[in-house]
Amino acid sequence: QVQLVESGGGLVQPGGSLRLSCAASRSFFVTNSMAWYRQGPGKQRELVALATIGGTTNYASFVEGRFTISRDNAKNTVYLQMNNLKPEDTAVYYCNSVPYADKYWGQGTQVTVSS
């Protein structure tokens, strides 16, 4: 049974920072590139950042230079460090593989950027 458990979200002011974590089942984690996705209010889910098994990373243009994805292969965990947050970053953030596996979406973690 694959599990993806996201945590670390919260309410933050514009310009603030948060670090999200996603703990994954080991078999799923070690065999997949992992990514963070987000779904804002009234919007479709979108890819934010990905990290391959080998550690190569890639970012959506709207977070480039502000967010950093990393994976800890010993802990089966993928992180998303988010700096200089903007109100438009408000969304529920999810982790999943690349490409994503629809049946394994977790509950996500809510990030709200507001003054």
Side-chain angles (χ1 to χ4, degrees):
Q1 180 75 12
V2 173
Q3 285 192 317
L4 298 169
V5 181
E6 301 93 346
S7 62
L11 172 64
V12 63
Q13 292 186 342
S17 298
L18 283 174
R19 188 193 193 206
L20 307 183
S21 300
C22 170
S25 300
R26 177 157 184 81
S27 59
F28 187 79
F29 184 85
V30 299
T31 56
N32 284 284
S33 295
M34 296 296 294
W36 283 95
Y37 302 81
R38 72 185 187 186
Q39 187 166 16
K43 298 181 180 179
Q44 290 190 331
R45 195 169 295 174
E46 58 188 356
L47 177 69
V48 175
L50 67 88
T52 67
I53 295 172
T56 300
T57 58
N58 206 344
Y59 299 89
S61 58
F62 50 81
V63 302
E64 185 82 50
R66 300 188 297 124
F67 291 9
T68 301
I69 188 172
S70 60
R71 54 189 294 162
D72 186 332
N73 294 330
K75 296 182 178 180
N76 308 321
T77 300
V78 59
Y79 303 98
L80 186 68
Q81 176 67 42
M82 306 187 295
N83 298 328
N84 191 21
L85 283 159
K86 304 176 180 181
E88 51 264 44
D89 294 319
T90 294
V92 179
Y93 284 72
Y94 304 87
C95 69
N96 206 318
S97 56
V98 181
Y100 61 77
D102 246 342
K103 60 183 177 179
Y104 296 142
W105 291 110
Q107 82 289 350
T109 186
Q110 175 71 48
V111 172
T112 303
V113 185
S114 175
S115 55

